[in-house]
mmCIF file of all heavy atoms in Angstrom:
data_model
loop_
_atom_site.group_PDB
_atom_site.id
_atom_site.type_symbol
_atom_site.label_atom_id
_atom_site.label_comp_id
_atom_site.label_asym_id
_atom_site.label_seq_id
_atom_site.Cartn_x
_atom_site.Cartn_y
_atom_site.Cartn_z
ATOM 1 N N ILE A 26 42.027 248.883 -164.607
ATOM 2 C CA ILE A 26 41.760 250.157 -165.283
ATOM 3 C C ILE A 26 41.530 251.251 -164.249
ATOM 4 O O ILE A 26 42.057 252.369 -164.380
ATOM 5 C CB ILE A 26 40.550 250.014 -166.234
ATOM 6 C CG1 ILE A 26 40.900 249.074 -167.394
ATOM 7 C CG2 ILE A 26 40.068 251.374 -166.732
ATOM 8 C CD1 ILE A 26 39.709 248.611 -168.216
ATOM 9 N N TYR A 27 40.757 250.949 -163.197
ATOM 10 C CA TYR A 27 40.500 251.925 -162.142
ATOM 11 C C TYR A 27 41.779 252.280 -161.391
ATOM 12 O O TYR A 27 41.926 253.423 -160.940
ATOM 13 C CB TYR A 27 39.445 251.407 -161.166
ATOM 14 C CG TYR A 27 38.039 251.325 -161.723
ATOM 15 C CD1 TYR A 27 37.034 250.731 -160.979
ATOM 16 C CD2 TYR A 27 37.692 251.833 -162.974
ATOM 17 C CE1 TYR A 27 35.730 250.646 -161.456
ATOM 18 C CE2 TYR A 27 36.403 251.737 -163.457
ATOM 19 C CZ TYR A 27 35.427 251.150 -162.700
ATOM 20 O OH TYR A 27 34.135 251.068 -163.169
ATOM 21 N N ALA A 28 42.695 251.344 -161.262
ATOM 22 C CA ALA A 28 43.982 251.626 -160.602
ATOM 23 C C ALA A 28 44.757 252.671 -161.409
ATOM 24 O O ALA A 28 45.317 253.620 -160.836
ATOM 25 C CB ALA A 28 44.806 250.350 -160.443
ATOM 26 N N ASP A 29 44.787 252.502 -162.721
ATOM 27 C CA ASP A 29 45.478 253.486 -163.573
ATOM 28 C C ASP A 29 44.849 254.866 -163.429
ATOM 29 O O ASP A 29 45.557 255.875 -163.338
ATOM 30 C CB ASP A 29 45.428 253.054 -165.042
ATOM 31 C CG ASP A 29 46.284 251.836 -165.340
ATOM 32 O OD1 ASP A 29 47.157 251.486 -164.514
ATOM 33 O OD2 ASP A 29 46.064 251.219 -166.407
ATOM 34 N N LYS A 30 43.524 254.915 -163.396
ATOM 35 C CA LYS A 30 42.817 256.200 -163.260
ATOM 36 C C LYS A 30 43.104 256.836 -161.902
ATOM 37 O O LYS A 30 43.350 258.047 -161.811
ATOM 38 C CB LYS A 30 41.304 255.969 -163.449
ATOM 39 C CG LYS A 30 40.443 257.197 -163.231
ATOM 40 C CD LYS A 30 40.630 258.242 -164.295
ATOM 41 C CE LYS A 30 39.547 259.304 -164.164
ATOM 42 N NZ LYS A 30 40.045 260.633 -164.397
ATOM 43 N N ALA A 31 43.085 256.029 -160.835
ATOM 44 C CA ALA A 31 43.371 256.558 -159.494
ATOM 45 C C ALA A 31 44.784 257.133 -159.437
ATOM 46 O O ALA A 31 45.006 258.189 -158.832
ATOM 47 C CB ALA A 31 43.186 255.471 -158.439
ATOM 48 N N GLU A 32 45.723 256.455 -160.050
ATOM 49 C CA GLU A 32 47.117 256.951 -160.082
ATOM 50 C C GLU A 32 47.161 258.306 -160.786
ATOM 51 O O GLU A 32 47.775 259.258 -160.287
ATOM 52 C CB GLU A 32 48.000 255.931 -160.800
ATOM 53 C CG GLU A 32 49.477 256.196 -160.670
ATOM 54 C CD GLU A 32 50.026 255.921 -159.282
ATOM 55 O OE1 GLU A 32 49.688 254.884 -158.691
ATOM 56 O OE2 GLU A 32 50.802 256.776 -158.792
ATOM 57 N N LYS A 33 46.493 258.425 -161.934
ATOM 58 C CA LYS A 33 46.461 259.678 -162.684
ATOM 59 C C LYS A 33 45.752 260.780 -161.909
ATOM 60 O O LYS A 33 46.087 261.956 -162.048
ATOM 61 C CB LYS A 33 45.785 259.476 -164.036
ATOM 62 C CG LYS A 33 46.625 258.682 -165.001
ATOM 63 C CD LYS A 33 45.882 258.404 -166.286
ATOM 64 C CE LYS A 33 46.705 257.466 -167.145
ATOM 65 N NZ LYS A 33 45.919 256.836 -168.196
ATOM 66 N N ASP A 34 44.750 260.406 -161.096
ATOM 67 C CA ASP A 34 44.006 261.376 -160.297
ATOM 68 C C ASP A 34 44.739 261.793 -159.026
ATOM 69 O O ASP A 34 44.228 262.614 -158.265
ATOM 70 C CB ASP A 34 42.630 260.818 -159.917
ATOM 71 C CG ASP A 34 41.650 260.790 -161.079
ATOM 72 O OD1 ASP A 34 41.958 261.329 -162.161
ATOM 73 O OD2 ASP A 34 40.555 260.201 -160.901
ATOM 74 N N GLY A 35 45.917 261.198 -158.764
ATOM 75 C CA GLY A 35 46.695 261.565 -157.584
ATOM 76 C C GLY A 35 46.337 260.803 -156.323
ATOM 77 O O GLY A 35 46.546 261.303 -155.217
ATOM 78 N N PHE A 36 45.814 259.588 -156.488
ATOM 79 C CA PHE A 36 45.459 258.739 -155.349
ATOM 80 C C PHE A 36 46.248 257.425 -155.413
ATOM 81 O O PHE A 36 45.689 256.374 -155.740
ATOM 82 C CB PHE A 36 43.949 258.454 -155.334
ATOM 83 C CG PHE A 36 43.089 259.680 -155.184
ATOM 84 C CD1 PHE A 36 42.384 260.182 -156.257
ATOM 85 C CD2 PHE A 36 42.998 260.334 -153.950
ATOM 86 C CE1 PHE A 36 41.581 261.306 -156.129
ATOM 87 C CE2 PHE A 36 42.194 261.458 -153.807
ATOM 88 C CZ PHE A 36 41.488 261.949 -154.895
ATOM 89 N N PRO A 37 47.548 257.472 -155.112
ATOM 90 C CA PRO A 37 48.372 256.262 -155.244
ATOM 91 C C PRO A 37 47.946 255.122 -154.319
ATOM 92 O O PRO A 37 48.088 253.950 -154.685
ATOM 93 C CB PRO A 37 49.792 256.739 -154.928
ATOM 94 C CG PRO A 37 49.623 258.024 -154.182
ATOM 95 C CD PRO A 37 48.344 258.626 -154.675
ATOM 96 N N ASN A 38 47.436 255.441 -153.146
ATOM 97 C CA ASN A 38 46.997 254.359 -152.256
ATOM 98 C C ASN A 38 45.724 253.692 -152.771
ATOM 99 O O ASN A 38 45.552 252.476 -152.626
ATOM 100 C CB ASN A 38 46.805 254.853 -150.823
ATOM 101 C CG ASN A 38 48.129 255.068 -150.134
ATOM 102 O OD1 ASN A 38 49.142 254.451 -150.465
ATOM 103 N ND2 ASN A 38 48.142 255.969 -149.164
ATOM 104 N N VAL A 39 44.840 254.465 -153.379
ATOM 105 C CA VAL A 39 43.652 253.878 -153.995
ATOM 106 C C VAL A 39 44.086 253.010 -155.174
ATOM 107 O O VAL A 39 43.557 251.906 -155.368
ATOM 108 C CB VAL A 39 42.638 254.958 -154.435
ATOM 109 C CG1 VAL A 39 41.468 254.326 -155.188
ATOM 110 C CG2 VAL A 39 42.136 255.750 -153.241
ATOM 111 N N ALA A 40 45.056 253.471 -155.935
ATOM 112 C CA ALA A 40 45.576 252.678 -157.054
ATOM 113 C C ALA A 40 46.135 251.354 -156.547
ATOM 114 O O ALA A 40 45.881 250.293 -157.141
ATOM 115 C CB ALA A 40 46.647 253.459 -157.804
ATOM 116 N N ARG A 41 46.866 251.407 -155.456
ATOM 117 C CA ARG A 41 47.433 250.183 -154.867
ATOM 118 C C ARG A 41 46.328 249.250 -154.387
ATOM 119 O O ARG A 41 46.402 248.030 -154.577
ATOM 120 C CB ARG A 41 48.359 250.579 -153.714
ATOM 121 C CG ARG A 41 49.137 249.461 -153.123
ATOM 122 C CD ARG A 41 50.286 249.977 -152.254
ATOM 123 N NE ARG A 41 49.922 251.002 -151.303
ATOM 124 C CZ ARG A 41 49.520 250.758 -150.058
ATOM 125 N NH1 ARG A 41 49.429 249.526 -149.619
ATOM 126 N NH2 ARG A 41 49.227 251.759 -149.248
ATOM 127 N N LEU A 42 45.280 249.813 -153.802
ATOM 128 C CA LEU A 42 44.150 249.005 -153.351
ATOM 129 C C LEU A 42 43.452 248.342 -154.537
ATOM 130 O O LEU A 42 43.181 247.132 -154.514
ATOM 131 C CB LEU A 42 43.153 249.865 -152.565
ATOM 132 C CG LEU A 42 41.874 249.171 -152.110
ATOM 133 C CD1 LEU A 42 42.192 247.997 -151.183
ATOM 134 C CD2 LEU A 42 40.951 250.173 -151.427
ATOM 135 N N PHE A 43 43.166 249.110 -155.590
ATOM 136 C CA PHE A 43 42.537 248.523 -156.770
ATOM 137 C C PHE A 43 43.413 247.405 -157.357
ATOM 138 O O PHE A 43 42.904 246.367 -157.778
ATOM 139 C CB PHE A 43 42.276 249.588 -157.848
ATOM 140 C CG PHE A 43 40.966 250.305 -157.726
ATOM 141 C CD1 PHE A 43 40.922 251.696 -157.735
ATOM 142 C CD2 PHE A 43 39.761 249.617 -157.641
ATOM 143 C CE1 PHE A 43 39.716 252.377 -157.649
ATOM 144 C CE2 PHE A 43 38.544 250.281 -157.550
ATOM 145 C CZ PHE A 43 38.519 251.667 -157.560
ATOM 146 N N THR A 44 44.722 247.608 -157.380
ATOM 147 C CA THR A 44 45.634 246.589 -157.918
ATOM 148 C C THR A 44 45.608 245.322 -157.071
ATOM 149 O O THR A 44 45.557 244.209 -157.616
ATOM 150 C CB THR A 44 47.064 247.156 -158.010
ATOM 151 O OG1 THR A 44 47.047 248.310 -158.860
ATOM 152 C CG2 THR A 44 48.029 246.132 -158.567
ATOM 153 N N ALA A 45 45.627 245.472 -155.755
ATOM 154 C CA ALA A 45 45.588 244.309 -154.867
ATOM 155 C C ALA A 45 44.284 243.545 -155.014
ATOM 156 O O ALA A 45 44.279 242.310 -155.141
ATOM 157 C CB ALA A 45 45.790 244.751 -153.413
ATOM 158 N N VAL A 46 43.171 244.263 -155.038
ATOM 159 C CA VAL A 46 41.869 243.590 -155.151
ATOM 160 C C VAL A 46 41.716 242.970 -156.543
ATOM 161 O O VAL A 46 41.126 241.894 -156.679
ATOM 162 C CB VAL A 46 40.714 244.544 -154.790
ATOM 163 C CG1 VAL A 46 39.366 243.880 -155.036
ATOM 164 C CG2 VAL A 46 40.828 244.990 -153.332
ATOM 165 N N SER A 47 42.292 243.604 -157.548
ATOM 166 C CA SER A 47 42.290 243.004 -158.882
ATOM 167 C C SER A 47 42.944 241.624 -158.841
ATOM 168 O O SER A 47 42.449 240.664 -159.457
ATOM 169 C CB SER A 47 43.029 243.914 -159.866
ATOM 170 O OG SER A 47 43.180 243.280 -161.113
ATOM 171 N N PHE A 48 44.043 241.502 -158.112
ATOM 172 C CA PHE A 48 44.714 240.206 -157.964
ATOM 173 C C PHE A 48 43.797 239.204 -157.265
ATOM 174 O O PHE A 48 43.699 238.045 -157.679
ATOM 175 C CB PHE A 48 46.032 240.386 -157.186
ATOM 176 C CG PHE A 48 46.765 239.106 -156.940
ATOM 177 C CD1 PHE A 48 47.258 238.339 -157.985
ATOM 178 C CD2 PHE A 48 46.984 238.672 -155.643
ATOM 179 C CE1 PHE A 48 47.945 237.147 -157.742
ATOM 180 C CE2 PHE A 48 47.670 237.488 -155.385
ATOM 181 C CZ PHE A 48 48.149 236.723 -156.445
ATOM 182 N N ALA A 49 43.095 239.644 -156.231
ATOM 183 C CA ALA A 49 42.168 238.752 -155.524
ATOM 184 C C ALA A 49 41.059 238.275 -156.459
ATOM 185 O O ALA A 49 40.678 237.089 -156.428
ATOM 186 C CB ALA A 49 41.569 239.461 -154.309
ATOM 187 N N GLU A 50 40.544 239.166 -157.297
ATOM 188 C CA GLU A 50 39.482 238.783 -158.228
ATOM 189 C C GLU A 50 40.005 237.784 -159.255
ATOM 190 O O GLU A 50 39.286 236.857 -159.661
ATOM 191 C CB GLU A 50 38.891 240.019 -158.924
ATOM 192 C CG GLU A 50 38.392 241.111 -158.006
ATOM 193 C CD GLU A 50 37.244 240.739 -157.078
ATOM 194 O OE1 GLU A 50 36.871 239.555 -156.977
ATOM 195 O OE2 GLU A 50 36.705 241.657 -156.444
ATOM 196 N N TRP A 51 41.249 237.941 -159.671
ATOM 197 C CA TRP A 51 41.881 236.990 -160.591
ATOM 198 C C TRP A 51 41.967 235.606 -159.935
ATOM 199 O O TRP A 51 41.694 234.591 -160.585
ATOM 200 C CB TRP A 51 43.262 237.516 -160.971
ATOM 201 C CG TRP A 51 44.055 236.638 -161.883
ATOM 202 C CD1 TRP A 51 43.795 236.378 -163.198
ATOM 203 C CD2 TRP A 51 45.235 235.919 -161.545
ATOM 204 N NE1 TRP A 51 44.761 235.532 -163.693
ATOM 205 C CE2 TRP A 51 45.653 235.239 -162.717
ATOM 206 C CE3 TRP A 51 45.984 235.793 -160.382
ATOM 207 C CZ2 TRP A 51 46.790 234.441 -162.736
ATOM 208 C CZ3 TRP A 51 47.114 235.000 -160.411
ATOM 209 C CH2 TRP A 51 47.508 234.334 -161.566
ATOM 210 N N ILE A 52 42.305 235.575 -158.648
ATOM 211 C CA ILE A 52 42.348 234.307 -157.914
ATOM 212 C C ILE A 52 40.961 233.673 -157.866
ATOM 213 O O ILE A 52 40.806 232.473 -158.092
ATOM 214 C CB ILE A 52 42.923 234.510 -156.501
ATOM 215 C CG1 ILE A 52 44.396 234.874 -156.594
ATOM 216 C CG2 ILE A 52 42.721 233.268 -155.636
ATOM 217 C CD1 ILE A 52 44.972 235.440 -155.322
ATOM 218 N N HIS A 53 39.932 234.478 -157.582
ATOM 219 C CA HIS A 53 38.563 233.949 -157.560
ATOM 220 C C HIS A 53 38.203 233.353 -158.925
ATOM 221 O O HIS A 53 37.639 232.250 -159.004
ATOM 222 C CB HIS A 53 37.545 235.031 -157.208
ATOM 223 C CG HIS A 53 37.766 235.635 -155.873
ATOM 224 N ND1 HIS A 53 37.248 236.862 -155.532
ATOM 225 C CD2 HIS A 53 38.437 235.211 -154.776
ATOM 226 C CE1 HIS A 53 37.599 237.162 -154.296
ATOM 227 N NE2 HIS A 53 38.325 236.170 -153.819
ATOM 228 N N ALA A 54 38.514 234.092 -159.995
ATOM 229 C CA ALA A 54 38.213 233.595 -161.344
ATOM 230 C C ALA A 54 38.945 232.283 -161.611
ATOM 231 O O ALA A 54 38.350 231.334 -162.142
ATOM 232 C CB ALA A 54 38.588 234.650 -162.392
ATOM 233 N N GLN A 55 40.203 232.206 -161.233
ATOM 234 C CA GLN A 55 40.966 230.963 -161.416
ATOM 235 C C GLN A 55 40.330 229.805 -160.649
ATOM 236 O O GLN A 55 40.223 228.694 -161.177
ATOM 237 C CB GLN A 55 42.390 231.122 -160.903
ATOM 238 C CG GLN A 55 43.331 231.825 -161.815
ATOM 239 C CD GLN A 55 44.734 231.749 -161.264
ATOM 240 O OE1 GLN A 55 44.983 232.060 -160.100
ATOM 241 N NE2 GLN A 55 45.662 231.339 -162.080
ATOM 242 N N ASN A 56 39.940 230.054 -159.421
ATOM 243 C CA ASN A 56 39.332 228.996 -158.605
ATOM 244 C C ASN A 56 38.021 228.510 -159.219
ATOM 245 O O ASN A 56 37.761 227.305 -159.262
ATOM 246 C CB ASN A 56 39.113 229.471 -157.171
ATOM 247 C CG ASN A 56 40.402 229.594 -156.397
ATOM 248 O OD1 ASN A 56 41.433 229.032 -156.757
ATOM 249 N ND2 ASN A 56 40.367 230.357 -155.314
ATOM 250 N N HIS A 57 37.193 229.443 -159.703
ATOM 251 C CA HIS A 57 35.937 229.058 -160.344
ATOM 252 C C HIS A 57 36.221 228.268 -161.625
ATOM 253 O O HIS A 57 35.595 227.234 -161.880
ATOM 254 C CB HIS A 57 35.079 230.279 -160.670
ATOM 255 C CG HIS A 57 34.675 231.101 -159.482
ATOM 256 N ND1 HIS A 57 34.480 230.583 -158.221
ATOM 257 C CD2 HIS A 57 34.418 232.431 -159.373
ATOM 258 C CE1 HIS A 57 34.124 231.541 -157.396
ATOM 259 N NE2 HIS A 57 34.079 232.677 -158.071
ATOM 260 N N PHE A 58 37.173 228.744 -162.416
ATOM 261 C CA PHE A 58 37.521 228.079 -163.669
ATOM 262 C C PHE A 58 38.054 226.665 -163.409
ATOM 263 O O PHE A 58 37.725 225.725 -164.142
ATOM 264 C CB PHE A 58 38.555 228.912 -164.437
ATOM 265 C CG PHE A 58 38.779 228.459 -165.850
ATOM 266 C CD1 PHE A 58 37.936 228.883 -166.860
ATOM 267 C CD2 PHE A 58 39.835 227.619 -166.173
ATOM 268 C CE1 PHE A 58 38.141 228.474 -168.170
ATOM 269 C CE2 PHE A 58 40.042 227.204 -167.477
ATOM 270 C CZ PHE A 58 39.193 227.633 -168.480
ATOM 271 N N ARG A 59 38.860 226.531 -162.387
ATOM 272 C CA ARG A 59 39.425 225.221 -162.029
ATOM 273 C C ARG A 59 38.312 224.201 -161.768
ATOM 274 O O ARG A 59 38.429 223.038 -162.152
ATOM 275 C CB ARG A 59 40.321 225.356 -160.800
ATOM 276 C CG ARG A 59 41.104 224.102 -160.470
ATOM 277 C CD ARG A 59 42.071 224.320 -159.299
ATOM 278 N NE ARG A 59 43.034 225.376 -159.603
ATOM 279 C CZ ARG A 59 43.122 226.543 -158.959
ATOM 280 N NH1 ARG A 59 42.318 226.818 -157.953
ATOM 281 N NH2 ARG A 59 44.020 227.437 -159.305
ATOM 282 N N GLU A 60 37.231 224.644 -161.145
ATOM 283 C CA GLU A 60 36.123 223.727 -160.872
ATOM 284 C C GLU A 60 35.359 223.360 -162.147
ATOM 285 O O GLU A 60 34.630 222.376 -162.167
ATOM 286 C CB GLU A 60 35.173 224.314 -159.824
ATOM 287 C CG GLU A 60 35.804 224.473 -158.470
ATOM 288 C CD GLU A 60 36.515 223.225 -157.974
ATOM 289 O OE1 GLU A 60 35.962 222.107 -158.133
ATOM 290 O OE2 GLU A 60 37.637 223.343 -157.441
ATOM 291 N N LEU A 61 35.553 224.129 -163.205
ATOM 292 C CA LEU A 61 34.895 223.854 -164.485
ATOM 293 C C LEU A 61 35.785 223.057 -165.438
ATOM 294 O O LEU A 61 35.430 222.860 -166.598
ATOM 295 C CB LEU A 61 34.505 225.181 -165.161
ATOM 296 C CG LEU A 61 33.417 225.984 -164.473
ATOM 297 C CD1 LEU A 61 33.393 227.413 -165.008
ATOM 298 C CD2 LEU A 61 32.075 225.303 -164.649
ATOM 299 N N ARG A 62 36.928 222.610 -164.963
ATOM 300 C CA ARG A 62 37.921 221.984 -165.845
ATOM 301 C C ARG A 62 37.381 220.775 -166.616
ATOM 302 O O ARG A 62 37.888 220.464 -167.690
ATOM 303 C CB ARG A 62 39.178 221.611 -165.071
ATOM 304 C CG ARG A 62 38.982 220.524 -164.030
ATOM 305 C CD ARG A 62 40.256 220.310 -163.193
ATOM 306 N NE ARG A 62 40.006 219.490 -162.033
ATOM 307 C CZ ARG A 62 39.558 219.924 -160.858
ATOM 308 N NH1 ARG A 62 39.316 221.207 -160.685
ATOM 309 N NH2 ARG A 62 39.366 219.098 -159.863
ATOM 310 N N ASN A 63 36.376 220.098 -166.116
ATOM 311 C CA ASN A 63 35.812 218.938 -166.807
ATOM 312 C C ASN A 63 34.530 219.255 -167.554
ATOM 313 O O ASN A 63 33.857 218.348 -168.038
ATOM 314 C CB ASN A 63 35.552 217.804 -165.799
ATOM 315 C CG ASN A 63 36.846 217.303 -165.181
ATOM 316 O OD1 ASN A 63 37.872 217.212 -165.851
ATOM 317 N ND2 ASN A 63 36.802 217.009 -163.901
ATOM 318 N N VAL A 64 34.194 220.535 -167.638
ATOM 319 C CA VAL A 64 32.989 220.968 -168.351
ATOM 320 C C VAL A 64 33.445 221.606 -169.654
ATOM 321 O O VAL A 64 34.035 222.678 -169.646
ATOM 322 C CB VAL A 64 32.170 221.977 -167.512
ATOM 323 C CG1 VAL A 64 30.956 222.464 -168.288
ATOM 324 C CG2 VAL A 64 31.774 221.372 -166.179
ATOM 325 N N GLY A 65 33.200 220.914 -170.764
ATOM 326 C CA GLY A 65 33.627 221.435 -172.056
ATOM 327 C C GLY A 65 32.485 222.086 -172.799
ATOM 328 O O GLY A 65 31.310 221.891 -172.471
ATOM 329 N N GLY A 66 32.835 222.869 -173.793
ATOM 330 C CA GLY A 66 31.823 223.472 -174.647
ATOM 331 C C GLY A 66 31.852 224.984 -174.612
ATOM 332 O O GLY A 66 32.629 225.588 -173.879
ATOM 333 N N ASP A 67 31.011 225.560 -175.415
ATOM 334 C CA ASP A 67 30.871 227.007 -175.491
ATOM 335 C C ASP A 67 29.544 227.393 -174.860
ATOM 336 O O ASP A 67 28.522 226.753 -175.106
ATOM 337 C CB ASP A 67 30.891 227.472 -176.952
ATOM 338 C CG ASP A 67 32.204 227.140 -177.642
ATOM 339 O OD1 ASP A 67 33.249 227.266 -176.994
ATOM 340 O OD2 ASP A 67 32.167 226.747 -178.825
#
């Protein structure tokens, strides 16, 4: 969301940075989730 806002505000490099770090955060979430694969429930 911040990447879209940065693009609209005229900061394409900030938008690119937010997009790249967003991908890194997705990787972190995947890695954490993978370790929970045998933990079921809500």
Side-chain angles (χ1 to χ4, degrees):
I26 293 167
Y27 290 173
D29 290 344
K30 176 69 169 140
E32 191 72 45
K33 288 175 187 163
D34 286 352
F36 298 106
N38 285 334
V39 175
R41 187 165 48 90
L42 176 60
F43 272 129
T44 301
V46 175
S47 173
F48 178 63
E50 306 298 9
W51 179 69
I52 292 165
H53 299 160
Q55 280 187 309
N56 288 341
H57 299 330
F58 191 84
R59 188 175 300 115
E60 295 310 317
L61 292 165
R62 66 186 168 275
N63 296 322
V64 177
D67 298 321

